[in-house]
Amino acid sequence: MTAQIIDGKALAEELRQGFKARVEALTAKGHKPGLVVILVGADPASEVYVRNKVNGCLTIGMHSEKITYEATVDQDTVLNKIAELNADPNIHGILVQLPLPKHFDEEKVLEAIAAEKDVDGFHAENVGALAQGNPRFIPCTPYGVMKMFEKGNVDLTGKEAVVIGRSNIVGKPMALLLINAGATVTVCNSRTKDLLSHTRRADILVAAVGKPKFVTADMVKPGAVVIDVGINRLPDGKLCGDVDYAGCLEVAGQITPVPGGVGPMTITMLLANTIEAAERKAGL
Ligand code: GUN
């Protein structure tokens, strides 16, 4: 059996087309949605992500700007800028690109962002709301994955879901969303003992481990839904996910490709969260 492909690129495009009318309506009422992305340092991958985030906003008529700092900038400079943006009525979303340089206290920076402008959903208040099953902002990557389940008509209720990866950005919020959707959830990591015994019983398998081709066909239950969150750069410059796509394609029931899978959905849901923030502020 060859798996059905869940096309994230097409779904992202479809959703972004739908956002345009909401952005126009907000703009007409004087609430043009605005996102600021803060980048500290010059990590090449982060630079690409940040550029795509800003361009994603501009393409659908939103306001967006990037603020960059040298890697050596002191934390207070960034905290002061965040305070200024918290008070700016034209800015609805503030995102600090992670990771930050080692001399930063990441938690302190994320907590400095006003919860109602935390379109990443990383502020403790928003993480708590998600954990309680009453989310205000859902972290963009797992939010995108949930939209892909919706698109693929994947019913999560009562299903065995296994997430490989326990990061604050993907693994943990993904697990919470699956729990909230009624799945039976196991969170593994790259060092989980007898990982195979977990993955092989997964109806839903989410790979967010950051290791190229970590999930091989023998780890996948026939017919399972396999979601590849990984974006790894191979020595030859090609992008590759955490899943051995060619092998798993023959075993899975549904699968997401890399590129063209989860990646385009992440930025799409960032746009969704920023529009949502603007709509709330406008009282819509
Ligand atoms: N670095 C990698 N993914 C993300 C993300 O979703 N948000 C932020 N702020 N930084 C990231």
Side-chain angles (χ1 to χ4, degrees):
M1 184 177 79
T2 300
Q4 181 192 336
I5 294 160
I6 308 179
D7 184 342
K9 193 167 173 224
L11 177 56
E13 192 45 45
E14 182 188 320
L15 290 171
R16 289 185 203 206
Q17 287 305 322
F19 294 161
K20 284 182 180 169
R22 289 165 69 191
V23 172
E24 270 173 31
L26 280 160
T27 305
K29 292 194 167 85
H31 300 282
K32 185 174 187 161
L35 172 75
V36 169
V37 184
I38 297 176
L39 174 64
V40 183
D43 174 67
S46 289
E47 279 182 337
V48 173
Y49 295 142
V50 166
R51 192 184 326 130
N52 289 341
K53 287 172 185 180
V54 171
N55 288 341
C57 288
L58 299 177
T59 308
I60 59 163
M62 292 166 58
H63 167 75
S64 186
E65 56 192 283
K66 173 178 88 165
I67 299 176
T68 52
Y69 294 102
E70 300 275 336
T72 52
V73 72
D74 66 300
Q75 178 166 289
D76 281 345
T77 305
V78 176
L79 291 177
N80 289 338
K81 176 53 77 177
I82 290 172
E84 194 184 297
L85 295 166
N86 283 343
D88 185 338
N90 296 317
I91 299 305
H92 306 90
I94 304 167
L95 180 152
V96 177
Q97 186 65 25
L98 303 177
L100 286 164
K102 294 252 181 298
H103 65 283
F104 274 79
D105 177 346
E106 202 163 279
E107 194 185 331
K108 189 163 181 187
V109 173
L110 295 177
E111 297 307 302
I113 298 170
E116 69 274 14
K117 297 193 180 189
D118 168 40
V119 287
D120 251 334
F122 295 164
H123 190 290
E125 231 176 79
N126 290 323
V127 176
L130 173 63
Q132 289 183 324
N134 202 7
R136 294 185 211 144
F137 288 115
I138 300 172
C140 306
T141 300
Y143 194 3
V145 173
M146 294 304 282
K147 287 284 173 194
M148 294 176 96
F149 289 141
E150 222 176 280
K151 184 70 182 178
N153 290 316
V154 179
D155 180 15
L156 299 167
T157 318
K159 297 286 170 59
E160 286 282 346
V162 172
V163 179
I164 315 176
R166 52 179 164 154
S167 70
N168 291 337
I169 296 178
V170 183
K172 284 182 205 164
M174 186 76 251
L176 288 171
L177 286 165
L178 289 163
I179 289 169
N180 292 345
T184 304
V185 182
T186 305
V187 183
C188 299
N189 59 68
S190 61
R191 295 193 201 170
T192 295
K193 247 194 295 177
D194 198 9
L195 180 62
L196 211 77
S197 70
H198 295 285
T199 62
R200 271 193 183 156
R201 57 178 172 69
D203 302 307
I204 316 285
L205 181 59
V206 181
V209 71
K211 292 182 187 293
K213 300 188 184 180
F214 184 81
V215 173
T216 46
D218 58 315
M219 295 167 74
V220 175
K221 177 179 171 180
V225 179
V226 177
I227 305 287
D228 190 351
V229 177
I231 304 178
N232 307 290
R233 184 81 55 190
L234 295 174
D236 65 5
K238 282 197 185 135
L239 282 185
C240 154
D242 290 351
V243 171
D244 173 21
Y245 183 75
C248 293
L249 189 63
E250 300 307 319
V251 184
Q254 295 185 70
I255 193 166
T256 66
V258 176
V262 175
M265 289 301 294
T266 293
I267 298 182
T268 302
M269 302 328 290
L270 172 65
L271 306 181
N273 280 346
T274 308
I275 295 167
E276 175 94 30
E279 286 173 343
R280 283 181 204 158
K281 168 130 190 303
L284 296 174

